Amino acid sequence: MIKKTFSVVMASLILASVPAVNTPCAAQSAQSLEIVSYDKYQDLTYTGALGETLRIRAYATTDDSELLLMFNFYDDNASVKVVRQEDGKYQVVDGGFFATDGKAVAELAVKNGRWIRL
C-alpha cells in the first residue's frame, strides 16, 4: 500500500512540474500564456541585425495592438510577442533576444498591411 501511494504521489509531482502548453510555441514564458485571439496573419521576409534572412509569420489582433511573430531561428522555433504602447510604438514583451528586430518586424507588418483573415 505504501509503495502504491508513493508511486501515485511521485507521478503527480512529475506531472505537476511539466508546464501546460496552450500557446503556439512552447518556448514562450509563463507571462505570455494568456489566450489572445489573433484575427489575421501575413508572411514576411526579414533580414535581421545579424544578417540572417528570416521567414516570419506575423499574427495580429484586429487593431494591430498585439502581434505574435513566429519563425525558425538557427533551427529552433521561436515566437516573439509585440505590443503597441500608448505612444504608438511597438515593444517586445516576450522574446527579448529579438527586441530590436521584433519592433522593426511589427512596424513592417503593419505598414505592409497584407493581412489574411483567419
Side-chain angles (χ1 to χ4, degrees), residues 64-65 83-91 103 106-107 110:
D64 299 329
S65 63
V83 175
R84 186 175 57 225
Q85 303 300 303
E86 289 180 15
D87 62 2
K89 296 181 181 180
Y90 285 95
Q91 179 180 1
K103 291 186 268 189
E107 291 167 359
V110 172

Side-chain angles (χ1 to χ4, degrees), residues 40-48 52-60 64 67 69 82 88-90 98 100-115:
K40 53 192 176 180
Y41 76 95
Q42 65 177 289
D43 293 323
L44 303 162
T45 300
Y46 178 77
T47 302
E52 73 285 6
T53 300
L54 301 170
R55 293 281 303 150
I56 299 174
R57 177 157 287 182
Y59 293 90
D64 299 329
L67 287 87
L69 311 175
V82 184
K89 296 181 181 180
Y90 285 95
F98 203 65
T100 302
D101 288 316
K103 291 186 268 189
V105 171
E107 291 167 359
L108 176 63
V110 172
K111 181 180 175 182
N112 280 348
R114 296 184 189 134
W115 299 107

Side-chain angles (χ1 to χ4, degrees), residues 1-46:
M1 181 64 145
I2 293 174
K3 186 175 182 181
K4 191 174 192 179
T5 303
F6 180 76
S7 297
V8 171
V9 170
M10 288 303 292
S12 298
L13 290 173
I14 291 168
L15 290 175
S17 68
V18 176
V21 177
N22 61 356
T23 59
C25 182
Q28 291 185 332
S29 71
Q31 293 175 343
S32 68
L33 291 181
E34 65 189 59
I35 302 296
V36 174
S37 178
Y38 296 102
D39 303 299
K40 53 192 176 180
Y41 76 95
Q42 65 177 289
D43 293 323
L44 303 162
T45 300
Y46 178 77

